[in-house]
Amino acid sequence: MTLRPITPQPGSDRDPANFVGQVEVTTQARKRLQTGSNLLLTDPRRMGKTFWMCTFAARELSFHSYIIDYEGTHTVNDFLIKTAEALIKDCSLPTKARKVVEAIFKNSELAFSTKLLTLKSHFQQTSPHDLLKRVVTSLETDSSDAIPLVMMDEVPMAINNIAEREGPSSANEVLQTLRGLRFSASRIRWIITGSVGFHHVLRDFNITQGVLGDLEPLSLGPLLRNEAEELASCLLLGIEQPLIESVVNELIEVSGGIPFLLHAVAAKLGHQHGNVVKPSDVRECFEDLIDSPEDLNWFKHNRGRITRNYGTRARIANEILRKTLSETNMWVTTDSLVPDDKAADTLEDLINDHYLERRGLSVRWRYPAFQYIWARKMRVWDRR
């Protein structure tokens, strides 16, 4: 294996040349998509979903991939326009599909693809859900052997915003439209994901789980040991450090094999240490990351999401997370955590949100590195 330097870029790297690992998940996704399945990526924030999708789109040449980011979507019209914008900016969009988009939108010619799309006057009274169907089904006109793959990012957030702005029925109709497309546009494959769990959005707005029933769950999770070693080594080379086995091992240990944390710790090492790094330096940088008010800002975001997603159950959620803390990652029986139905529902959500994992009648934190960060940030544990 030839190692090359990778400059640490926590949470912002999108260059497929710098993507390391997730070979088994990628192989599984490829096979499932080729046999007709559609996928729902279920990982929480900072597990590398968007970077993985960018890499899959670039490397998997048996698919013609269209990545659509729905962050900032608040209306069905926004959803439609973001979809069309992503397609029209693809230089290899099939000619027939391009003509469909150009017939519906102003500024959709390739030369004007940097301008905001707007509906032509004679389509402004047409249902945006119907126009969404026309735009997406146009991808079936691709005459190449490549399978059209629609990769939708931040969909739960978009659905939540639409429900708040235009009402639950409008949001539900978007999900029903997408589900109908997955059945009717049989040549197209789908990967759908987001940083908010769909189960929160569907419950908050009384939308049935059936709108997602055809999607098969797929989880990235941390890197395998050999993959984490490769990424850790490349990142150390990227900060001009020699490859010392004990340092590589400590970097993997504190990060739990989570790429974002590997990048974050390596970046801080590069900023703080000009000399040869020791294992103790790695641990110190990790602890400093947790203590810093500027670093790991995503944790503040996650704490805010506990309050938002769990509402009146936020206190119960935090109490369950506190009771399941274990420095040795021990399993905790659920009987001690769920005195009533409300606590039981909260526990299920924490499992669905990947805070915890279940084995029979016991649970524990799913990712020990996130457990440690949570316990330190919540001032339950002190620096090791």
Side-chain angles (χ1 to χ4, degrees), residues 110-144:
L110 191 59
F112 299 102
S113 61
T114 58
K115 293 187 177 181
L116 181 66
L117 295 188
T118 56
L119 286 172
K120 292 183 176 179
S121 57
H122 52 285
F123 284 110
Q124 289 179 1
Q125 301 304 314
T126 306
S127 163
H129 302 92
D130 291 339
L131 294 177
L132 181 63
K133 291 177 187 176
R134 293 193 205 183
V135 169
V136 175
T137 53
S138 71
L139 298 180
E140 288 205 295
T141 64
D142 192 338
S143 59
S144 71

Side-chain angles (χ1 to χ4, degrees), residues 129 167 184 245 308 313-315 323:
H129 302 92
S184 62
E245 184 178 0
R308 174 175 178 174
R313 299 177 300 138
R315 184 189 60 79
K323 287 181 178 179

Side-chain angles (χ1 to χ4, degrees), residues 197-311:
F198 258 118
H199 52 285
H200 292 294
V201 178
L202 300 185
R203 181 184 56 240
D204 289 349
F205 297 103
N206 295 315
I207 300 173
T208 173
Q209 291 279 347
V211 293
L212 306 175
D214 59 301
L215 296 171
E216 298 182 6
L218 179 71
S219 177
L220 299 180
L223 300 180
L224 299 178
R225 175 72 193 194
N226 64 312
E227 296 173 342
E229 287 178 3
E230 180 182 352
L231 180 55
S233 299
C234 291
L235 291 170
L236 288 171
L237 292 175
I239 58 172
E240 300 181 347
Q241 285 288 330
L243 297 184
I244 301 171
E245 184 178 0
S246 58
V247 173
V248 172
N249 289 339
E250 186 65 16
L251 189 50
I252 296 169
E253 174 65 24
V254 299
S255 68
I258 295 170
F260 169 75
L261 292 179
L262 282 164
H263 275 262
V265 177
K268 200 163 187 69
L269 281 170
H271 295 148
Q272 292 188 183
H273 293 274
N275 299 321
V276 175
V277 169
K278 306 184 295 295
S280 59
D281 297 327
V282 176
R283 167 58 67 175
E284 182 180 10
C285 273
F286 179 55
E287 300 287 0
D288 289 346
L289 270 173
I290 298 173
D291 287 332
S292 169
E294 293 83 20
D295 294 313
L296 298 186
N297 279 328
W298 62 271
F299 182 82
K300 296 178 184 177
H301 193 69
N302 279 4
R303 284 182 65 184
R305 288 207 167 167
I306 283 275
T307 301
R308 174 175 178 174
N309 293 336
Y310 288 78

Side-chain angles (χ1 to χ4, degrees), residues 44-64:
R45 280 176 58 84
R46 295 308 185 192
M47 292 302 290
K49 299 186 295 298
T50 301
F51 194 9
W52 177 82
M53 288 199 298
C54 291
T55 303
F56 191 95
R59 293 180 180 176
E60 298 295 326
L61 301 182
S62 59
F63 298 93
H64 186 164

Side-chain angles (χ1 to χ4, degrees), residues 17-33:
N18 293 335
F19 189 88
V20 174
Q22 302 295 4
V23 174
E24 289 187 7
V25 173
T26 301
T27 300
Q28 183 183 144
R30 183 192 312 116
K31 290 180 178 178
R32 289 163 72 177
L33 290 166

Side-chain angles (χ1 to χ4, degrees), residues 116-189:
L116 181 66
L117 295 188
T118 56
L119 286 172
K120 292 183 176 179
S121 57
H122 52 285
F123 284 110
Q124 289 179 1
Q125 301 304 314
T126 306
S127 163
H129 302 92
D130 291 339
L131 294 177
L132 181 63
K133 291 177 187 176
R134 293 193 205 183
V135 169
V136 175
T137 53
S138 71
L139 298 180
E140 288 205 295
T141 64
D142 192 338
S143 59
S144 71
D145 292 333
I147 301 171
L149 174 60
V150 177
M151 309 175 87
M152 294 182 156
D153 200 4
E154 297 298 358
V155 178
M157 183 186 300
I159 296 302
N160 180 83
N161 293 343
I162 291 169
E164 289 181 345
R165 178 76 63 85
E166 300 183 329
S169 61
S170 185
N172 183 45
E173 191 171 353
V174 173
L175 292 173
Q176 294 288 358
T177 298
L178 294 177
R179 187 173 189 270
L181 284 168
R182 293 195 294 272
F183 283 100
S184 62
S186 57
R187 188 159 181 262
I188 301 172
R189 299 292 178 268

